[in-house]
Amino acid sequence: MVRSIHSKNIAGNPEPHHFWTIWSEYQSRLLHCCLHWLNGNYTHAEDALSQALEKSYHCFQHAKEHIRNPFSWLYRLTYTICIDMLREQKKQQHLVEIVSASPEQFYFSAATTECLEELIQRDDTLDNLEQAFENLNIDLKKIIQHRFIEERDYPEIAEIMQITPENARKRVQLARKQLRFISI
């Protein structure tokens, strides 16, 4: 039976009781369609139907034109929601497959949680270390930057700074000692 919804109240909005009458008439058919589109998953079908109810009621209240074929309109809206749910599930499944294939590439914070005191202590230590770094002379800052930030080896550092590799190693040792002493 094709019916049209065009009864409006004084403010020009559709009457809510018309929506509920139509929704209750087509709800079971829409649930059956959801089950079909979502491969028989009843929980997902119920979720889709619930979203369709919410969205269709909102759209019904703000409709500018009358709805000529309510079932067709509800069917299309529900179908779109089901397809969106399937796409989201597919994306999540793809992500799980990627993570499962190479778990060593991903960091999971739940496995390593820090208590608040450790976090505060670590931040304080970093602040002290930054301040100690700023107090180093320019040559020691450069040597620390080359060794630990740029991750260069001693012969490279020696070549850049025009010193011997032994001298580079000794300067790194001296800078670390000063940083340890100042940051304590």
Side-chain angles (χ1 to χ4, degrees):
M1 166 166 99
V2 175
R3 92 162 73 145
S4 168
I5 306 173
H6 52 67
S7 167
K8 298 194 179 223
N9 63 16
I10 297 170
N13 297 327
E15 294 284 348
H17 71 275
H18 289 287
F19 173 80
W20 295 113
T21 303
I22 290 169
W23 180 261
S24 62
E25 181 179 338
Y26 297 125
Q27 183 177 3
S28 62
R29 283 176 67 187
L30 292 170
L31 179 61
H32 180 69
C33 292
C34 288
L35 282 167
H36 175 73
W37 295 322
L38 296 171
N39 305 317
N41 188 324
Y42 192 78
T43 306
H44 289 163
E46 282 184 324
D47 288 345
L49 195 62
S50 176
Q51 287 178 32
L53 169 63
E54 216 174 292
K55 191 168 186 174
S56 61
Y57 184 70
H58 178 75
C59 291
F60 179 80
Q61 286 181 317
H62 298 94
K64 302 283 186 226
E65 300 175 12
H66 71 278
I67 299 166
R68 291 191 185 112
N69 187 341
F71 178 72
S72 179
W73 177 69
L74 289 169
Y75 179 91
R76 181 47 110 189
L77 190 137
T78 307
Y79 175 78
T80 304
I81 289 171
C82 289
I83 296 303
D84 288 346
M85 287 178 76
L86 285 173
R87 286 182 184 138
E88 185 62 31
Q89 289 171 6
K90 198 174 196 177
K91 275 198 293 189
Q92 288 177 0
Q93 185 176 0
H94 181 68
L95 182 61
V96 167
E97 288 170 1
I98 290 171
V99 171
S100 297
S102 54
E104 66 280 349
Q105 292 181 351
F106 298 93
Y107 173 75
F108 297 100
S109 63
T112 56
T113 57
E114 263 185 302
C115 72
L116 183 60
E117 291 143 0
E118 290 172 345
L119 185 63
I120 292 170
Q121 185 179 10
R122 185 174 52 87
D123 286 345
D124 287 344
T125 302
L126 284 174
D127 289 342
N128 291 341
L129 189 59
E130 282 181 38
Q131 188 176 8
F133 181 77
E134 292 301 318
N135 292 334
L136 289 177
N137 70 41
I138 192 79
D139 287 337
L140 293 181
K141 281 183 186 178
K142 283 182 184 177
I143 204 101
I144 291 292
Q145 180 178 353
H146 290 310
R147 180 68 179 143
F148 298 107
I149 297 172
E150 297 169 6
E151 297 180 349
R152 297 180 187 269
D153 57 8
Y154 292 112
E156 282 182 291
I157 296 170
E159 187 178 323
I160 292 169
M161 297 191 70
Q162 299 177 347
I163 57 176
T164 65
E166 292 78 23
N167 195 336
R169 193 174 293 112
K170 193 65 177 170
R171 287 186 187 186
V172 168
Q173 188 179 27
L174 177 65
R176 289 178 69 181
K177 185 177 182 180
Q178 285 185 15
L179 287 174
R180 239 185 253 119
F181 178 75
I182 295 171
S183 65
I184 292 177

